[in-house]
């Protein structure tokens, strides 16, 4: 995997240098598959901390959070039912060029209803004009059928190293991917978000993953 990643980095850097005006060269939009096998879920990189926020609830709180975000931006995993309720917030996310991915339902829902994934992907494409690079289930469980489907459509399964939303920030783990919730039943406050960012060296998800290597976990079948 490391050799493959070196080649991938070289190609992306070369494309960015030779064709700086091409859309997508400022991000991973041109890179679609970061693992070697469909039974791998990305949960950690190599250095720094990448913040990800799962959004399925809220309007004013979410809008305030988005307006206060500063680069390097966290990755926003968006529930499509939420996005349909608040398209104006989605437009704000697009205007600020904040990276996004697709937040799905609990993993077992796809074992029983795989077409659900296609429906959610279509809605995401309606909003953003392209399919997502990242997909996360709400419970970070990825059944075998789902992982194979994501592999086939070239969307990366994204888990996390740590889940947190309040209290004392967790200890720093180099290369960590932190999952933060913004759901009806559990959501991070802006105060807690600020407290967390002050405790670590925050990077974009791309920078955390592309620091020479990525670490993955195997998911049981």
């Amino acid at each position: 995997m490391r050799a493959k990643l070196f080649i991938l980095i070289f190609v992306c850097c070369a494309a960015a240098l030779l064709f700086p005006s091409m859309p997508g060269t400022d991000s991973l939009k041109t890179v679609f598959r970061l693992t070697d096998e469909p039974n791998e879920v990305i949960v950690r990189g190599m250095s720094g901390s990448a913040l990800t926020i799962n959004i399925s609830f809220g309007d004013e709180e979410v809008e305030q959070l988005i307006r206060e975000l500063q680069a390097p931006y966290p990755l926003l995993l968006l529930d499509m039912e939420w996005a349909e309720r608040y398209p104006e917030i989605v437009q704000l996310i697009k205007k600020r060029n904040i990276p996004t991915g697709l937040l799905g339902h609990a993993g077992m829902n796809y074992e029983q209803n795989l077409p659900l994934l296609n429906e959610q992907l279509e809605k995401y494409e309606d909003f953003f004009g392209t399919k997502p690079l990242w997909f996360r289930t709400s419970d970070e469980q990825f059944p075998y059928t789902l992982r194979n489907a994501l592999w086939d459509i070239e969307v990366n399964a994204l888990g996390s190293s740590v889940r947190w939303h309040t209290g004392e920030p967790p200890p720093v783990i180099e290369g960590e991917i932190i999952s933060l919730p913004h759901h009806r039943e559990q959501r991070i406050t802006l105060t807690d978000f600020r407290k967390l960012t002050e405790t670590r060296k925050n990077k974009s998800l791309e920078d955390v993953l592309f620091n020479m290597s990525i670490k993955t976990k195997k998911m049981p079948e």
Side-chain angles (χ1 to χ4, degrees):
M1 181 183 295
R2 181 167 295 184
K4 177 182 177 181
L5 192 57
F6 279 136
I7 295 172
L8 193 58
I9 294 170
F10 176 79
V11 171
C12 291
C13 292
L17 291 173
L18 293 175
F19 307 103
S21 62
M22 288 181 62
T25 54
D26 60 341
S27 71
L28 283 179
K29 292 178 182 177
T30 55
V31 181
F32 51 78
R33 184 177 288 161
L34 300 184
T35 60
D36 290 327
E37 302 175 20
N39 63 346
E40 292 176 331
V41 176
I42 297 171
V43 297
R44 187 176 168 192
M46 282 298 292
S47 72
S49 302
L51 305 182
T52 65
I53 307 176
N54 303 331
I55 301 177
S56 68
F57 177 81
D59 50 359
E60 293 181 0
E61 293 174 338
V62 175
E63 182 175 349
Q64 182 183 6
L65 174 62
I66 290 169
R67 290 189 183 280
E68 295 202 19
L69 291 178
Q70 300 295 323
Y73 295 125
L75 175 72
L76 306 182
L77 283 302
L78 307 180
D79 175 90
M80 287 299 97
E81 294 175 3
W82 173 86
E84 289 179 319
R85 290 195 298 272
Y86 302 106
E88 68 282 359
I89 301 182
V90 175
Q91 289 303 314
L92 176 62
I93 293 170
K94 293 169 65 177
K95 181 178 180 180
R96 297 209 62 199
N97 202 28
I98 299 173
T100 62
L102 174 59
L103 179 66
H105 295 177
M108 287 307 298
N109 288 354
Y110 301 94
E111 193 77 359
Q112 302 163 2
N113 181 18
L114 194 55
L116 173 63
L117 176 63
N118 292 328
E119 295 172 8
Q120 294 170 332
L121 288 169
E122 288 175 2
K123 291 179 181 178
Y124 184 96
E125 290 192 52
D126 287 342
F127 278 113
F128 296 98
T130 183
K131 67 184 176 184
L133 179 61
W134 311 105
F135 175 82
R136 173 183 286 163
T137 57
S138 60
D139 57 1
E140 296 194 21
Q141 297 300 309
F142 295 83
Y144 183 74
T145 302
L146 175 59
R147 282 178 276 128
N148 271 336
L150 292 171
W151 174 261
D152 289 340
I153 61 177
E154 299 173 344
V155 174
N156 292 290
L158 181 66
S160 67
S161 317
V162 180
R163 301 186 208 182
W164 182 84
H165 81 285
T166 191
E168 287 301 312
V172 176
I173 303 172
E174 282 298 311
E176 65 190 356
I177 299 172
I178 301 179
S179 175
L180 308 172
H182 209 287
H183 308 308
R184 179 185 296 274
E185 67 280 1
Q186 185 183 74
R187 52 191 183 273
I188 190 168
T189 65
L190 188 55
T191 299
D192 281 332
F193 180 79
R194 291 171 180 157
K195 182 167 62 173
L196 177 69
T197 59
E198 292 170 356
T199 63
R200 55 232 318 122
K201 183 178 180 181
N202 299 295
K203 296 182 179 181
S204 68
L205 180 60
E206 290 91 340
D207 287 341
V208 167
L209 293 177
F210 271 63
N211 188 12
M212 301 306 179
S213 181
I214 61 175
K215 295 182 180 180
T216 63
K217 70 177 179 181
K218 299 277 187 174
M219 303 297 292
E221 297 187 16

